Amino acid sequence: MARRPPPHQLTKPVGAITRGTTGVNRLRRSDRWLMHDQLVTARLCAAADPLVVDLGYGASPWTTLELAARLRTVRPDVRVVGLEIDPDRVVPGRDGVSFARGGFELAGLRPVLVRAFNVLRQYPEAAVPEAWSTILSGLTPDGLLVDGTCDELGRRCAWILLDRAGPRSLTMAWDPFTVEQPSDIAERLPKALIHHNIPGEPIHTLLTAADRAWAHAAPLAPFGPRVRWRAAAESLRREGFPLRSYRRRMRDCVLSVPWATVAPR
């Protein structure tokens, strides 16, 4: 009896080859969030098959290997597969991580979590809904998708968390010591939002309010940007913005809100 080919040989990759820019530790902020987010860790720990796909890892697999190492602190038997649509970027497996050719169709895999960072940023905004739909249809029923963007050094990051019902939240995270004000993150918003940072749109309203709260917290600047941001975040909550609260002490400045707070009009 002939042996069945692996999934990535049975499906045709969906998507286009992107620039492939990457770098060591570039996605550390989103990785830290994934390691501690209650929903993500609960889904990963409950999965019968803890399969995670890093979609579009780029010209080098460093961030995929880092993701695997960090998620193993949550679930030691996690399986991580890096997918790249460019066959020249597919590398041999190492450190317990596999690599294969694939796109939005996920190479026929059925993961509980997909991370797609700096992928859709290089597509037109009109292509985002179909890409989301294709990825989400390949997840397990309770699977999650992280669609994000960051700068070249990973100092400014933003990502959308989705499940099969659609977007759930937007999270922005930045280096406390290299970002002057929250709205500086606007240039790294995911493709679904980046063109909506204009007056009258919810994301613009949120970032404008965040800058205002940051300015009002200026007297706390001598205590450091983390202390100042915590005060600014509390001010935003008093204004009625549903910012998520975090119990643990954060290394990054983090602003996370339900998707309904920023969904384009």
Side-chain angles (χ1 to χ4, degrees):
M1 183 176 179
R3 184 178 179 182
R4 181 180 174 83
H8 64 275
Q9 294 183 8
L10 298 173
T11 55
K12 182 178 180 181
V14 176
I17 296 175
T18 55
R19 289 190 298 273
T21 305
T22 187
V24 174
N25 222 18
R26 187 183 184 191
L27 303 184
R28 60 196 180 280
R29 301 187 196 285
S30 64
D31 284 354
R32 282 198 285 263
W33 186 84
L34 289 172
M35 291 166 59
H36 295 282
D37 182 77
Q38 291 182 343
L39 178 62
V40 173
T41 57
R43 298 283 176 90
L44 188 60
C45 289
D49 179 12
L51 174 61
V52 175
V53 165
D54 189 20
L55 181 60
Y57 55 83
S60 299
W62 306 119
T63 54
T64 307
L65 298 171
E66 292 164 353
L67 175 66
R70 288 162 179 157
L71 289 183
R72 286 181 189 129
T73 66
V74 176
R75 181 157 178 177
D77 62 338
V78 68
R79 294 196 302 124
V80 176
V81 177
L83 293 182
E84 251 298 334
I85 198 167
D86 184 349
D88 292 336
R89 296 175 184 166
V90 178
V91 297
R94 55 177 286 194
D95 299 336
V97 179
S98 302
F99 299 93
R101 189 181 182 209
F104 298 139
E105 82 303 328
L106 304 181
L109 300 172
R110 199 76 163 170
V112 67
L113 175 65
V114 171
R115 181 181 72 178
F117 243 81
N118 300 308
V119 175
L120 289 175
R121 178 176 176 82
Q122 301 179 53
Y123 284 74
E125 183 183 354
V128 171
E130 184 176 356
W132 279 355
S133 178
T134 302
I135 296 171
L136 292 170
S137 68
L139 298 177
T140 59
D142 60 349
L144 298 169
L145 163 64
V146 177
D147 169 20
T149 305
C150 70
D151 66 6
E152 287 73 12
L153 297 178
R155 292 174 175 174
R156 308 175 185 191
C157 305
W159 58 88
I160 301 168
L161 180 69
L162 305 93
D163 61 15
R164 285 196 167 207
R168 296 179 60 101
S169 64
L170 169 72
T171 300
M172 294 175 278
W174 60 93
D175 180 355
F177 299 98
T178 62
V179 175
E180 294 185 0
Q181 60 183 1
S183 65
D184 290 348
I185 311 303
E187 65 182 26
R188 297 297 168 173
L189 287 170
K191 179 61 73 169
L193 288 173
I194 193 167
H195 300 302
H196 295 274
N197 185 33
I198 56 177
E201 287 282 355
I203 183 62
H204 184 271
T205 300
L206 174 62
L207 290 175
T208 301
D211 280 355
R212 185 170 59 247
W214 177 254
H216 288 168
L220 295 174
F223 299 98
R226 296 187 182 96
V227 172
R228 182 179 176 182
W229 172 244
R230 286 197 290 270
E234 283 302 320
S235 177
L236 285 171
R237 294 186 186 97
R238 289 194 295 271
E239 288 186 46
F241 290 95
L243 270 66
R244 177 176 174 181
S245 297
Y246 292 91
R247 295 181 181 178
R248 64 187 178 90
R249 186 170 293 275
M250 306 292 283
R251 186 181 307 180
D252 308 314
C253 290
V254 178
L255 193 168
S256 187
V257 293
W259 177 250
T261 304
V262 294
R265 298 190 185 280

